[in-house]
Amino acid sequence: MAKNVVQIQPNKPELQQRSRVAAYARVSCGKDTMLHSLAAQIDYYREMIIRNPEWRFAGVFADEAKTGTKEDRPEFQALIAKCRAKKIDMVITKSISRFARNTVTLLKYVRELKNLGVDVFFEEQNIHTISADGEVMLTLLASFAQAESLSVSENCKWRIRKGFEEGKSTSVRLLGYQLIDGEFTIIPEEAETVRRIFNLYLQGYGIQTISNMLESENRATVCGGVWLPNKVAEILDNEKYCGDLLLQKTIVQNHIDKKTILNTGQLPQYLIENNHDAIIDKDIFLKVSEERKRRAINKGVKREYSALTGMIRCPYCGKNYRRKTTTRCIKWCCSTFNSKGKKFCPDSKMIPEDTVIQAICSMLNMDSFDEKKFVKLIDHIDACKENTLRFHFTDGNSRDYVWADRSRAESWTPEMRETARKNTIRRRSNGK
C-alpha cells in the first residue's frame, strides 16, 4: 500500500504591532524659564518614545501659555482629534495637572479616550487609565489638582485685592500713560490725542466720526492698531484721565473658566481721587460724562419713524441710509459715509429727519406720516445729489423731491440757544 505524505507548513508567527505613542506637554505662562522647560519636555518625550522598540512615534503636542482649567488649548485639541481618528494608541504626559486641572474636563477626555482604546499614562502618579483601578485613582488625584488650582487662584486674588485696599494699581498701559515704578507717567504725544478725543466729543462729534478722524490723521493707538469706536468710548469713560483711579472694575468669575466680568456690586471697589497727574481737567471729564448719558438716553428713545429703516438708499455706494442722532437734530446719512468718512462716499449728504418726513407727506398727499400707507406705496427712496430725493413707487413710477437746507438759526434747538446765552453771559462776566 502506497504511503501518502502531506507536508504541513508551520504557521508564521505574527509580528507584534508596535503601539503608536504620543506625548502631551503644557506650561501655563510664556516666561522664558517656562518656555525652556517646555522645550526640555518636548525633547525628553521624543527621545523616550523613539528609543522604545515597542513604540512608534506619533508626535509631541505642546501648549505654551495655556491654563489647564480650559479645554480650548489648540495642541490639546489636536491630540484629541488624532486619537479620535484612531492614529494614537497611547498618550504619555508628565502629570494629571499638565493634562487638565479641571476634574470634569479630565474625566471627560480620559473616558472618551478609554472608549476609543487609547491609554493615557501619567508618569508622576504612575497611572494607566486603561487599567481597572486607573479611573478611581485618577478621580481622587484630579480633585487634588483642581483644589491646588483653586488655592493658587485665591492666593493671587488676595494679593491683588490687598493691593487695591492700599491704593495700588496692577500693571496697566493705556493711551497717554505708562506705569513706571508704580506711578502713572504722562506720555506727551499720546496725551495730545486723548485731549483731542475729549474736545471733539464736546464739539458734538459722534464716536464713529471721531475714530474716523483719528484714523485719517494717522494718530497712533496704544497697541498700534486701527481706531475703532469702542476704543474711543473706553477713553471717554476712563476716570484715569482726570487723575482719579477706580480699582476692581472687573473681576474673574471663577478659577475654572477664568472669565472676566464687570464688577456690578459683587465685590467692593476703591476710588483714589487725585492719584496722579491728570491729562483732562475734571470739569471737562464730568461734562463728557453728562453728554454721554444724554446721548445714551436719546438712543434709547423709541424711533417714531422706524419704517424708514432700509428705505433710503445711497445711489453712489449702494448702501442704505441710517438714522443718526446729533447734538442739533436727528439726521439720516449714508452708512458708508458714517462709518468710513466722506472720502469713501463723497457724493452723499446727511438729510434731517423732519425734512424726509415732510417730503414723504408731500409725495403721498398726507397731513401727517402714515406708516402703513408709506410702506404700501413706496418701494424705496434714492438720496441723490443737489438735495434731491427720488421716490420709487411700488407701481413702478418715480418722482423727485428737492429739499432746501435749513439755515443755522433754524437748526438750533431751545436748549442750544439757552446754552449759548449762558456762555455769552459768562464770557462777559469774565471780561472777555
Side-chain angles (χ1 to χ4, degrees):
M1 183 175 179
K3 294 181 179 180
N4 185 22
V5 179
V6 178
Q7 185 179 4
I8 301 174
Q9 298 291 341
N11 292 327
K12 292 182 180 180
E14 292 184 6
L15 294 175
Q16 187 175 1
Q17 188 175 1
R18 294 189 299 166
S19 296
R20 297 162 297 179
V21 180
Y24 177 73
R26 177 185 64 81
V27 292
S28 56
C29 73
K31 293 182 179 179
D32 289 342
T33 53
M34 285 292 187
L35 295 180
H36 179 74
S37 170
L38 184 63
Q41 289 182 57
I42 293 171
D43 291 340
Y44 167 75
Y45 284 121
R46 182 182 288 110
E47 285 292 317
M48 177 184 180
I49 296 170
I50 291 174
R51 285 176 179 274
N52 193 318
E54 296 180 358
W55 292 348
R56 192 170 66 189
F57 182 72
V60 177
F61 299 82
D63 283 306
E64 62 181 60
K66 297 292 181 181
T67 176
T69 57
K70 293 186 177 181
E71 298 180 30
D72 59 346
R73 291 168 269 157
E75 287 289 291
F76 179 78
Q77 289 300 330
L79 169 68
I80 299 299
K82 198 167 182 179
C83 291
R84 289 169 180 159
K86 299 188 180 301
K87 295 180 179 179
I88 294 175
D89 301 309
M90 185 170 76
V91 176
I92 302 174
T93 189
K94 180 181 178 183
S95 65
I96 291 171
S97 62
R98 294 300 90 194
F99 195 77
R101 282 189 179 271
N102 180 346
T103 305
V104 174
T105 300
L106 176 71
L107 295 180
K108 168 187 169 183
Y109 284 107
V110 163
R111 285 169 179 167
E112 180 185 351
L113 296 181
K114 188 175 182 179
N115 290 334
L116 292 170
V118 179
D119 181 23
V120 182
F121 176 58
F122 300 97
E123 274 194 296
E124 205 168 90
Q125 292 81 19
N126 194 27
I127 295 176
H128 282 274
T129 58
I130 210 79
S131 65
D133 58 348
E135 185 169 328
V136 177
M137 287 297 296
L138 199 61
T139 304
L140 293 173
L141 293 171
S143 298
F144 286 122
Q146 183 169 327
E148 181 190 0
S149 175
L150 175 60
S151 176
V152 171
S153 176
E154 290 302 316
N155 287 338
C156 290
K157 288 178 184 176
W158 181 88
R159 177 175 53 79
I160 293 170
R161 289 168 188 165
K162 200 67 179 175
F164 287 161
E165 292 175 9
E166 297 171 0
K168 297 178 182 177
S169 175
T170 54
S171 60
V172 66
R173 175 70 174 96
L174 68 159
L175 191 74
Y177 286 114
Q178 188 170 4
L179 203 62
I180 300 176
D181 297 329
E183 298 293 332
F184 282 86
T185 304
I186 294 177
I187 303 173
E189 59 273 18
E190 293 185 4
E192 184 57 37
T193 299
V194 173
R195 295 187 188 99
R196 178 152 175 75
I197 290 170
F198 276 83
N199 290 335
L200 287 172
Y201 193 78
L202 286 181
Q203 289 172 27
Y205 292 98
I207 289 175
Q208 178 69 65
T209 303
I210 293 173
S211 63
N212 292 341
M213 293 172 73
L214 297 174
E215 191 67 23
S216 65
E217 294 169 3
N218 295 319
R219 291 181 179 264
T221 65
V222 68
C223 297
V226 299
W227 279 100
L228 298 174
N230 65 312
K231 296 302 179 184
V232 174
E234 288 174 5
I235 290 172
L236 292 171
D237 293 334
N238 198 326
E239 82 292 335
K240 294 181 183 68
Y241 290 115
C242 69
D244 294 342
L245 184 61
L246 182 62
L247 300 174
Q248 202 153 254
K249 294 180 186 177
T250 60
I251 57 175
V252 176
Q253 195 168 21
N254 58 62
H255 77 290
I256 299 297
D257 56 27
K258 300 186 185 297
K259 182 181 179 181
T260 300
I261 61 173
L262 288 175
N263 181 7
T264 56
Q266 302 94 317
L267 291 172
Q269 293 182 329
Y270 305 91
L271 176 64
I272 301 98
E273 296 183 319
N274 303 317
N275 178 75
H276 51 272
D277 292 336
I279 293 176
I280 303 297
D281 290 338
K282 192 161 289 189
D283 287 344
I284 293 177
F285 183 82
L286 293 175
K287 285 179 182 178
V288 167
S289 297
E290 289 300 316
E291 179 63 14
R292 295 270 290 150
K293 291 176 185 176
R294 189 192 70 78
R295 295 191 196 182
I297 292 172
N298 288 341
K299 281 187 177 180
V301 175
K302 182 181 178 181
R303 296 183 177 181
E304 186 177 356
Y305 304 113
S306 59
L308 296 180
T309 302
M311 295 293 283
I312 307 173
R313 302 177 186 175
C314 177
Y316 309 109
C317 70
K319 298 292 186 180
N320 289 334
Y321 267 50
R322 65 172 60 165
R323 196 174 192 255
K324 183 177 179 68
T325 302
T326 68
T327 54
R328 295 184 178 180
C329 66
I330 297 171
K331 295 185 176 183
W332 287 79
C333 66
C334 168
S335 300
T336 302
F337 176 89
N338 186 61
S339 60
K340 295 184 177 180
K342 191 170 182 66
K343 91 175 166 180
F344 290 91
C345 191
D347 295 320
S348 63
K349 186 174 182 178
M350 289 197 290
I351 311 167
E353 186 173 86
D354 55 4
T355 297
V356 177
I357 298 303
Q358 182 181 342
I360 293 171
C361 290
S362 175
M363 280 290 173
L364 301 181
N365 297 317
M366 298 186 299
D367 293 328
S368 60
F369 182 75
D370 185 330
E371 181 177 316
K372 291 183 179 179
K373 188 174 181 180
F374 170 70
V375 173
K376 181 180 179 181
L377 298 178
I378 303 296
D379 181 72
H380 68 277
I381 305 169
D382 284 334
C384 304
K385 294 179 182 178
E386 299 178 350
N387 292 10
T388 300
L389 291 175
R390 181 159 295 139
F391 284 77
H392 295 268
F393 295 86
T394 53
D395 62 5
N397 293 320
S398 63
R399 286 165 54 198
D400 288 352
Y401 178 93
V402 180
W403 55 280
D405 289 307
R406 295 190 300 176
S407 67
R408 185 177 294 273
E410 290 176 321
S411 65
W412 278 43
T413 64
E415 293 82 5
M416 293 169 64
R417 290 192 176 92
E418 179 62 20
T419 301
R421 185 185 69 81
K422 290 179 179 178
N423 289 338
T424 301
I425 294 173
R426 185 168 59 251
R427 284 196 298 270
R428 287 175 180 174
S429 65
N430 293 332
K432 294 183 179 179

